[in-house]
């Protein structure tokens, strides 16, 4: 029976303690599984004729965690993009018949976002295939997260 090689540790230029090879492997495995899912997601959106960023925006609007409907600023926060980028995205989505922009009844300066029926149908189809893909990826993601936890604690 062959023994595992001793863990290599790498030094850092700033003087921090080195990281074990297992920690690098765990993070690399986790990032790989995330990239696999994101690649699937982009391809699924493209099959529906939807750019990946628009799919993410539709999902963020439908699943907005705050009270009421999201604003362009809230969408920017959810997507981790600049407000002007979110405004351009929303404009393209409104032109494409995916999003409706409505002035808030509480503050007429605030524009609230909602999905059109077309967007809801698209999102329903995409979410169904994403949930199925996540079911198949779940074991690999769980293993990768477990490796991260063990590498962190080890």
């Amino acid at each position: 029976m062959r023994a595992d090689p001793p863990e290599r540790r790498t030094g850092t230029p700033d003087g921090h303690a080195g990281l074990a090879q297992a920690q690098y492997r765990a993070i690399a495995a986790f990032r790989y599984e995330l990239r696999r899912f994101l690649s699937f997601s982009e391809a699924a959106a493209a099959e529906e004729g939807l750019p990946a960023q628009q799919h993410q925006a539709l999902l963020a609007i439908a699943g907005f965690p705050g009270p009421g409907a999201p604003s362009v600023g809230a969408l920017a926060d959810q997507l981790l993009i600049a407000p002007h980028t979110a405004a351009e995205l929303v404009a393209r989505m409104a032109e494409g018949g995916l999003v409706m922009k409505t002035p808030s009844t509480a503050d007429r300066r605030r524009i609230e976002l909602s999905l059109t029926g077309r967007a809801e149908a698209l999102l329903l189809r995409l979410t169904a295939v994403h949930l199925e893909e996540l079911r198949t990826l779940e074991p690999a993601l769980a293993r990768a997260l477990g490796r991260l936890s063990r590498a962190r604690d080890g």
Side-chain angles (χ1 to χ4, degrees), residues 8-149:
R8 271 190 345 210
R9 292 200 174 266
T10 57
T12 58
D14 60 4
H16 287 94
L19 296 174
Q21 189 68 24
Q23 291 168 314
Y24 287 118
R25 286 185 185 132
I27 291 171
F30 181 69
R31 289 183 57 89
Y32 170 73
E33 296 303 335
L34 288 177
R35 284 192 307 274
R36 276 183 48 195
F37 179 71
L38 292 175
S39 177
F40 163 83
S41 182
E42 290 172 8
E47 283 181 26
E48 291 286 346
L50 197 62
Q53 192 176 40
Q54 288 187 17
H55 172 230
Q56 292 168 19
L58 294 178
L59 190 55
I61 293 167
F64 182 63
S71 65
V72 173
L75 180 63
D77 290 344
Q78 289 292 303
L79 297 179
L80 304 175
I81 59 178
H84 72 276
T85 303
E88 292 169 6
L89 176 62
V90 167
R92 285 193 305 275
M93 292 171 61
E95 288 171 12
L98 297 173
V99 172
M100 292 179 290
K101 301 187 296 184
T102 310
S104 168
T105 55
D107 179 354
R108 304 295 282 172
R109 297 169 297 176
R110 184 177 186 270
I111 301 297
E112 295 178 339
L113 306 174
S114 59
L115 303 182
T116 64
R118 177 173 172 253
E120 288 175 352
L122 268 170
L123 192 56
L124 180 66
R125 289 192 303 273
L126 282 167
T127 301
V129 297
H130 278 74
L131 290 172
E132 183 56 37
E133 181 68 9
L134 280 171
R135 275 191 277 286
T136 63
L137 281 177
E138 183 179 9
L141 284 166
R143 279 192 306 276
L145 281 172
R147 286 176 70 181
L148 273 173
S149 180

